[in-house]
Amino acid sequence: MAQYTGVAVSPGRVIGTIRSMAPPVKEPAADQVLPDGADASAEAERIPAAAAAVQATLTRLAERASGDGKKILEATAQMAADPSLSQTAQGLVLSGGKTPERAVWEAGDQVASMLESLGGYMAERATDVRDVRARIVAELRGEQAPGIPEVDEPFILTAIDLAPADTATLDPTRVIALVTSDGGPQSHTAILARQLGLPAIVAAKGIHEFSDGTEVFVDSGLGTITDEVTEEHHRLSEAWAELQRNPLTYEGGGGVLADGTRVQLLANIGGAKDAAKAAAANADGVGLFRTEFLFLDREDEPSVEEQTTAYEETFTHFPGKKVVVRTIDAGADKPLPFLTDADEPNPALGVRAYRTSWEKRSVLTNQLDAIAAAARTTDAKPWVMAPMIATVDETEDFVGLCRERGLEPAGIMVETPSAAIIADRHLTECDFASIGTNDLTQYTMAADRQLGSLAHLNSPWQPAVLALVKATCDGARTAGDDPEAFGESANKPVGVCGEAAGDPGLAVVLVGLGVNSLSMTPRSLPAVAKVLSTVTLEQAKDLAAQALAARTSEDAVSAIRAGLPILGELGL
Ligand code: PEP
Ligand code: MG
């Protein structure tokens, strides 16, 4: 029997067989040539045959896929059908005596470089050519194609981590759970799995010890994978499947605790498309609009007009509702060429987010102008906030810029320990705070949120992180009008918009610590609302006190799971 434990990032309980992600195709040696006496034309003929086989596989996969994944597969299939790669490679076999594998590799490079030199759309196709090249080489070698295994029956995918291109082709009807040995809880892979509702565990060291075809039970609420599948595991996975057939629903109106206390349940979005999905999921509004997502592929600053249109398109999905707009959070994992310096030695601690306004003031003021313009032409109520605030002077500066433009309320993200510890002084200057637990955790624990090897440190369940959430809420109480009151009317509002808010157990803890709005991926709304409905505010405060007093993050998780049996019953 073997059992491995990783970091739970998206809940579920499934039994299935392991299929591992094929490793990247290795480059054939540069001096690889045909052996003496080999039939060069027969060898060259193997290339179009392999390309045709690759094309057939990709077409079959594209037929079954949907959305972006379908488009990517169709484009790659088309590339495999294009004779120029095969013809160039055949030439290298016939005239240069290369092996077909080496010839395809070099021809792929030639075609890709040619596309890159054309720039624009054509340059973007270079990645597809390299992907097709790798697939043809694998076919010629009789190896498994790179990427997600191409088998028809559903399976549990294991991988070191997924590249963005792999995640686009992840088909949740075939991949029933995902377990990676690397990647952190805030990684791209983890965020995507949560959006898809795909049961997922990251940082599960040892997972590659399971060979392909092993039957395992995955509990991605707990973060465990075992090959000893029991009757109880069958019962649990059946209960989870039943929950998928009859999922929890969320009708809107906020989270209501068992004693009637209300907690706003909001959505995290990156633009108008997400806003439409969030509105359809009955979110009470938007708790985090990551505006930098609109401009990640841009070399130059977008104009005020262009930004105004983008904000208007987003705001129209939430007429009369709160939309918390975060000003551009560039840097570290989200570099923007017009704003951040790519050569900083330590970008997560560099001139990022609000700090970019010191040198490039107009990028921030232009953005605020655009938000103010969009607010005037729509019915949404933008709440504007700045990311990565560290000092009270910064808060005062940002709030001043907002007030000059009539943008109220104006707030800050609490992502640095410095902002959390003296939150009372920040909240005397601003109107609200939103805690970004992803960054607050990385800065509290001094652990890069992108590193799988530090995933155990990067948990918002760390008692030190919870203590800073409490410090922020306490600061808001002191800064507000009525130190006794719970709720937005008398307190300065404090929300959480990091991934922690979408974890139902942690949501209870956050509310118990004094947070009055939670913002998450819309998919998490039903489970969070359901679990909140099972506790009173007093019980939530008691659970929060237990988590806060825990020795370790694991102890905090255990205490809350013991106090909230609903989590186990629902497989969350
Ligand atoms: C956070 O840091 O928690 C947050 C919500 O911001 P982002 O994940 O975009 O850095
Ligand atoms: Mg952040």
Side-chain angles (χ1 to χ4, degrees):
M1 197 273 284
Q3 170 159 325
Y4 298 102
T5 303
V7 177
V9 293
S10 178
R13 285 167 173 165
V14 294
I15 293 171
T17 24
I18 295 248
R19 299 273 168 220
S20 54
M21 182 97 161
V25 172
K26 287 212 182 73
E27 176 176 351
D31 56 1
Q32 223 180 56
V33 286
L34 290 174
D36 287 345
D39 179 349
S41 45
E43 288 295 323
E45 272 317 304
R46 290 177 56 217
I47 295 173
V54 166
Q55 187 211 350
T57 307
L58 290 167
T59 308
R60 187 168 53 82
L61 289 172
E63 277 160 12
R64 283 196 314 229
S66 60
D68 284 349
K70 189 181 187 71
K71 279 193 219 131
I72 291 176
L73 287 165
E74 281 170 352
T76 322
Q78 228 173 15
M79 197 63 84
D82 182 345
S84 57
L85 176 65
S86 289
Q87 283 166 0
T88 312
Q90 283 181 296
L92 292 171
V93 175
L94 294 172
S95 60
K98 310 261 179 195
T99 63
E101 293 87 337
R102 183 66 206 171
V104 168
W105 197 268
E106 288 182 13
D109 266 344
Q110 284 177 22
V111 176
S113 309
M114 189 266 294
L115 290 172
E116 273 159 357
S117 70
L118 294 174
Y121 173 82
M122 296 310 278
E124 286 166 29
R125 300 279 71 76
T127 316
D128 299 338
V129 171
R130 293 206 168 89
D131 181 26
V132 164
R133 161 184 87 168
R135 287 171 179 276
I136 299 175
V137 170
E139 179 72 27
L140 287 165
R141 287 178 177 155
E143 286 174 358
Q144 188 185 336
I148 297 173
E150 287 145 9
V151 290
D152 286 320
E153 69 282 1
F155 57 92
I156 293 168
L157 178 65
T158 62
I160 297 171
D161 198 359
L162 296 189
D166 298 320
T167 54
T169 55
L170 198 65
D171 172 4
T173 58
R174 278 193 315 136
V175 178
I176 54 172
L178 169 67
V179 185
T180 64
S181 58
D182 289 25
Q186 264 77 255
S187 65
H188 182 86
T189 306
I191 291 175
L192 183 99
R194 271 190 291 271
Q195 277 168 5
L196 290 173
L198 178 68
I201 299 173
V202 298
K205 295 285 167 236
I207 185 66
H208 301 297
E209 300 296 321
F210 286 133
S211 49
D212 272 24
T214 311
E215 182 179 73
V216 294
F217 171 66
V218 171
D219 186 332
S220 58
L222 287 179
T224 54
I225 312 102
T226 175
D227 64 357
E228 192 182 34
V229 182
T230 64
E231 278 305 305
E232 175 64 0
H233 293 154
H234 278 279
R235 193 189 65 72
L236 291 170
S237 70
E238 188 36 51
W240 172 259
E242 176 56 27
L243 191 63
Q244 304 318 293
R245 287 189 288 272
N246 294 299
L248 295 171
T249 52
Y250 176 64
E251 303 302 332
V256 185
L257 270 52
D259 58 5
T261 305
R262 285 188 176 269
V263 181
Q264 272 188 344
L265 298 185
L266 309 164
N268 289 356
I269 63 165
K273 256 197 206 162
D274 290 351
K277 280 191 206 148
N282 298 319
D284 301 341
V286 170
L288 172 64
F289 176 7
R290 290 179 160 112
T291 55
E292 66 281 359
F293 277 30
L294 296 170
F295 311 119
L296 282 182
D297 56 349
R298 298 289 294 259
E299 289 291 324
D300 306 310
E301 181 191 354
S303 68
V304 172
E305 293 70 36
E306 188 189 340
Q307 291 192 57
T308 306
T309 308
Y311 303 144
E312 282 170 348
E313 281 169 8
T314 308
F315 291 173
T316 47
H317 294 285
F318 286 96
K321 298 271 181 66
K322 165 176 173 180
V323 178
V324 182
V325 186
R326 173 172 76 185
T327 55
I328 294 180
D329 182 23
D333 56 329
K334 292 172 290 194
L336 282 188
F338 60 89
L339 211 49
T340 50
D341 172 5
D343 298 327
E344 281 181 346
N346 219 336
L349 300 179
V351 183
R352 52 167 300 201
Y354 163 81
R355 297 170 182 183
T356 58
S357 72
W358 296 336
E359 285 288 321
K360 296 176 179 149
R361 191 90 172 147
S362 63
V363 177
L364 176 59
T365 53
N366 286 343
Q367 184 177 24
L368 293 175
D369 287 342
I371 298 168
R376 283 192 292 275
T377 53
T378 56
D379 286 335
K381 286 193 221 150
W383 293 36
V384 187
M385 66 179 181
M388 279 285 295
I389 289 289
T391 70
V392 178
D393 281 345
E394 294 167 8
T395 299
E396 188 188 359
D397 172 53
F398 180 75
V399 172
L401 293 176
C402 292
R403 302 254 196 272
E404 280 168 20
R405 290 162 177 79
L407 285 168
E408 257 181 285
I412 60 162
M413 284 196 78
V414 172
E415 301 185 282
T416 60
S418 61
I421 292 166
I422 56 164
D424 57 337
R425 278 149 272 177
H426 285 277
L427 280 150
T428 305
E429 300 291 337
C430 68
D431 304 315
F432 71 97
S434 181
I435 307 177
T437 43
N438 307 338
D439 276 318
L440 185 60
T441 305
Q442 96 162 329
Y443 296 128
T444 304
M445 305 308 294
D448 186 336
R449 66 191 258 191
Q450 297 189 77
L451 276 188
S453 50
L454 300 180
H456 61 295
L457 293 177
N458 247 313
S459 162
W461 286 93
Q462 290 285 353
V465 177
L466 298 178
L468 290 178
V469 173
K470 180 173 185 305
T472 310
C473 295
D474 290 349
R477 236 169 256 127
T478 320
D481 304 324
D482 176 359
E484 296 301 317
F486 177 93
E488 290 190 7
S489 56
N491 240 327
K492 293 263 175 134
V494 176
V496 170
C497 62
E499 295 295 310
D503 175 329
L506 203 42
V508 169
V509 171
L510 296 172
V511 169
L513 291 173
V515 162
N516 40 33
S517 69
L518 297 167
S519 189
M520 63 202 78
T521 174
R523 219 173 233 288
S524 301
L525 290 166
V528 169
K530 174 76 187 168
V531 174
L532 286 178
S533 74
T534 66
V535 291
T536 62
L537 182 58
E538 279 314 308
Q539 287 167 330
K541 283 183 178 171
D542 179 54
L543 289 165
Q546 290 182 41
L548 199 60
R551 252 186 87 248
T552 64
S553 61
E554 291 82 7
D555 288 356
V557 173
S558 306
I560 299 314
R561 293 196 81 82
L564 286 173
I566 178 96
L567 294 175
E569 284 158 26
L570 295 178
L572 297 171

